[in-house]
Amino acid sequence: MLICIVALFCVAFIFPFLYNAIWYLLYLLLGFLALDFIILFVTKNGIEAQRTTPEKLSNGDENQIIVTIKNFYTFSIYTKIIDEIPYQFQIRNFEIKRKIKNASTDDFQYFLRPTERGEYHFGSLNIYASSPLRLLSKRYTFNKDVMVPTYPSYIQLRKYDLIAFSNNLFQYGVKKIRRIGHTMEFEQIKEYVSGDDIRTLNWKATAKKNSLMVNQFQDEKSQNIYMLIDKGRTMKMPFNGLSLLDYAINATLVLSNVILKKQDKAGMFTFSKKIDNRVVAERRTSQMQKILENLYNVKTDFFESDYSRLYADVKKNITQRSLLILYTNFETLDGLDRQLPYLKGIAKNHLLVVVFFQNTELKHITNKKAETIQEIYDKVIAEKFLFEKKLIVNELKKYGIHSVLTQPENLTLDTINKYLEIKARGIL
């Protein structure tokens, strides 16, 4: 605006007959500025605003943030919303512009996707309000210094909360598993009805009652399920903004909930150079909160994971046969061979499932058409590493160790599938 006034006076210097007209325009502008200042600043509290955040953010998910603005002015206002986003997001140009009618309330929303757990500090919520003249803006500040913790993905937890009991499992990608035989947990003898398995006929009870009687079995309950999370340097590898460790943590939280819903005992611990974050397998109402709090502070220590210590700890502290789901990552067969003796030792007394990751970047390279010598070399090497992953699966299978080779984004579903398959087949 100041530049325009200076420019007009420069024009008046060339054309003197415009000089008086420009002064009149200047006085008129000053009058409008004074009017705009009065109608904006005489009202002390022209607006109220509030930022509403979840109690905690869900790591790796889109979290909704709502900004509510109440307009107490007697006219419509034009607002510019500048929220001071936590530094972890590195958003430096956040701005929302909205028009709000007089004596009304409007809600605006935006979404944030955190990629690491911890404390996220919001700064001030700044609202710049302008009248219909839009010559001046009045700044309002609300919600100074709000801290919101970021926890493992509880949004996924809610999504799969009833997955073990849903009749629509296919929409989640969970496959049906054919039950093989029966579990060993006998429930009762009951009269035969159409649809009962004739292999469960109890002939002694049939002879006594003079009617067909069958044995009824139920799923074995209260089995110990432990999730073992490798937090060594191999789990720091990033994918879509999250580390493999964070994917494992999110999957552990969701799977723990499914395990407890299936009446089993869920436990966990992390390991690298030492064993940390231990939660003993139990089936209590507070178990999920205990697991969530332990997962909140898990961070990689960048060390080479000590599988000998893992083996010794499992042998000492998990005396009852349990299902152990190990989240780790092996890139080469040599890397597996170094740890295989310890995995075989664990698998002697427990049902061990090793969960590791496909390298999706390598998959993109192999699917891409090679046009240069360098691209051919890259493609051959990528195919070699992908083939080694399949060799790792076969090597584990040779020693009775189950495995799940999955892409990071499919980790939660694939581990749930594996758990339900083991339960259905009664092999624990």
Side-chain angles (χ1 to χ4, degrees):
M1 186 181 295
L2 182 62
I3 295 174
C4 291
I5 294 172
V6 173
L8 286 173
F9 276 106
C10 290
V11 172
F13 182 79
I14 300 172
F15 304 102
F17 64 91
L18 295 176
Y19 186 74
N20 290 333
I22 291 173
W23 272 107
Y24 290 135
L25 287 174
L26 179 59
Y27 291 144
L28 184 63
L29 175 61
L30 290 174
F32 279 119
L33 281 172
L35 177 62
D36 204 10
F37 180 85
I38 291 170
I39 62 177
L40 270 178
F41 288 87
V42 167
T43 304
K44 188 175 181 181
N45 297 313
I47 65 171
E48 279 186 6
Q50 182 179 8
R51 179 204 306 117
T52 304
T53 63
E55 290 184 8
K56 51 183 179 287
L57 299 178
S58 179
N59 193 30
D61 298 311
E62 296 289 343
N63 296 263
Q64 185 184 53
I65 312 296
I66 300 174
V67 176
T68 303
I69 301 178
K70 294 181 181 179
N71 179 13
F72 296 115
Y73 286 107
T74 57
F75 49 84
S76 297
I77 59 172
Y78 295 86
T79 60
K80 182 167 69 173
I81 305 165
I82 300 178
D83 200 359
E84 296 177 3
I85 306 298
Y87 72 90
Q88 289 95 330
F89 295 103
Q90 293 296 300
I91 299 175
R92 305 182 187 277
N93 58 347
F94 181 90
E95 184 179 298
I96 300 175
K97 293 183 179 180
R98 290 290 188 274
K99 179 182 178 181
I100 304 175
K101 294 181 180 179
N102 58 303
S104 65
T105 301
D106 276 344
D107 290 333
F108 314 110
Q109 64 181 20
Y110 63 92
F111 294 88
L112 295 175
R113 181 179 181 267
T115 56
E116 55 186 73
R117 286 159 287 113
E119 295 182 352
Y120 284 65
H121 293 268
F122 286 82
S124 300
L125 173 62
N126 303 288
I127 311 293
Y128 292 86
S130 302
S131 72
L133 296 175
R134 305 182 75 172
L135 296 175
L136 298 174
S137 294
K138 183 177 180 181
R139 176 182 173 182
Y140 293 88
T141 302
F142 306 92
N143 295 117
K144 292 184 178 179
D145 302 324
V146 177
M147 191 281 289
V148 182
T150 296
Y151 277 76
S153 180
Y154 63 85
I155 290 180
Q156 283 192 43
L157 178 64
R158 292 171 183 170
K159 178 180 177 182
Y160 298 113
D161 191 29
L162 299 176
I163 198 167
F165 307 102
S166 172
N167 292 322
N168 300 313
L169 295 181
F170 289 109
Q171 70 182 1
Y172 296 104
V174 177
K175 58 188 177 184
K176 283 188 175 180
I177 305 297
R178 183 172 64 89
R179 181 176 298 279
I180 300 176
H182 298 286
T183 61
M184 299 305 293
E185 191 164 340
F186 172 79
E187 185 176 16
Q188 64 177 347
I189 300 174
K190 69 179 188 70
E191 278 196 42
Y192 174 84
V193 295
S194 179
D196 284 338
D197 190 346
I198 60 173
R199 293 175 298 175
T200 63
L201 284 170
N202 187 319
W203 294 109
K204 289 184 178 179
T206 298
K208 288 180 181 179
K209 290 282 188 179
N210 200 26
S211 63
L212 287 176
M213 306 294 290
V214 294
N215 295 329
Q216 184 174 356
F217 297 87
Q218 65 176 359
D219 288 338
E220 275 192 65
K221 297 178 180 178
S222 297
Q223 296 174 315
N224 290 337
I225 317 294
Y226 278 92
M227 279 127 309
L228 321 180
I229 303 175
D230 181 355
K231 62 175 184 178
R233 59 180 179 82
T234 59
M235 295 292 282
K236 188 60 179 174
M237 186 182 297
F239 177 82
N240 198 20
L242 292 178
S243 67
L244 297 184
L245 178 62
D246 280 311
Y247 280 102
I249 287 170
N250 290 344
T252 296
L253 184 65
V254 176
L255 183 58
S256 297
N257 188 52
V258 174
I259 289 168
L260 293 172
K261 295 285 186 183
K262 295 289 284 183
Q263 308 298 315
D264 283 329
K265 298 177 182 177
M268 59 146 289
F269 59 82
T270 64
F271 74 98
S272 179
K273 295 294 284 185
K274 60 179 182 177
I275 307 298
D276 290 311
N277 310 103
R278 187 189 303 278
V279 178
V280 177
E282 292 178 334
R283 187 163 57 86
R284 296 182 178 180
T285 54
S286 61
Q287 191 71 353
M288 277 304 300
Q289 185 62 31
K290 193 183 295 185
I291 291 173
L292 180 62
E293 292 300 331
N294 274 273
L295 290 173
Y296 173 68
N297 287 315
V298 174
K299 289 182 173 60
T300 182
D301 55 15
F302 298 99
F303 287 118
E304 184 77 27
S305 298
D306 188 347
Y307 279 78
S308 63
R309 185 178 291 272
L310 173 66
Y311 167 70
D313 187 271
V314 168
K315 188 172 183 179
K316 178 182 177 182
N317 294 299
I318 308 179
T319 54
Q320 182 181 346
R321 178 173 171 81
S322 307
L323 170 59
L324 307 182
I325 300 175
L326 171 61
Y327 294 97
T328 186
N329 198 33
F330 295 113
E331 288 294 336
T332 64
L333 199 56
D334 289 338
L336 172 68
D337 287 340
R338 290 196 298 270
Q339 316 302 344
L340 194 55
Y342 306 113
L343 298 180
K344 287 161 58 179
I346 294 172
K348 284 182 181 179
N349 301 313
H350 304 280
L351 182 61
L352 177 61
V353 178
V354 177
V355 182
F356 60 111
F357 299 89
Q358 291 178 342
N359 192 322
T360 53
E361 293 299 323
L362 293 181
K363 208 164 188 179
H364 291 156
I365 294 174
T366 58
N367 292 334
K368 185 180 177 182
K369 184 179 179 181
E371 296 180 349
T372 66
I373 297 295
Q374 183 62 48
E375 288 177 348
I376 292 172
Y377 287 152
D378 292 341
K379 189 170 183 176
V380 170
I381 293 171
E383 288 175 347
K384 173 185 177 295
F385 279 109
L386 289 178
F387 182 67
E388 283 213 32
K389 292 278 187 177
K390 296 177 182 178
L391 291 179
I392 291 171
V393 172
N394 292 334
E395 189 71 13
L396 291 169
K397 188 176 181 181
K398 192 190 304 181
Y399 299 102
I401 301 172
H402 295 255
S403 63
V404 177
L405 177 59
T406 180
Q407 296 180 7
E409 68 269 27
N410 298 330
L411 175 63
T412 300
L413 281 174
D414 288 343
T415 49
I416 291 174
N417 269 329
K418 192 65 178 179
Y419 165 69
L420 295 178
E421 176 188 344
I422 289 170
K423 287 292 292 181
R425 293 182 176 173
I427 57 178
L428 178 55

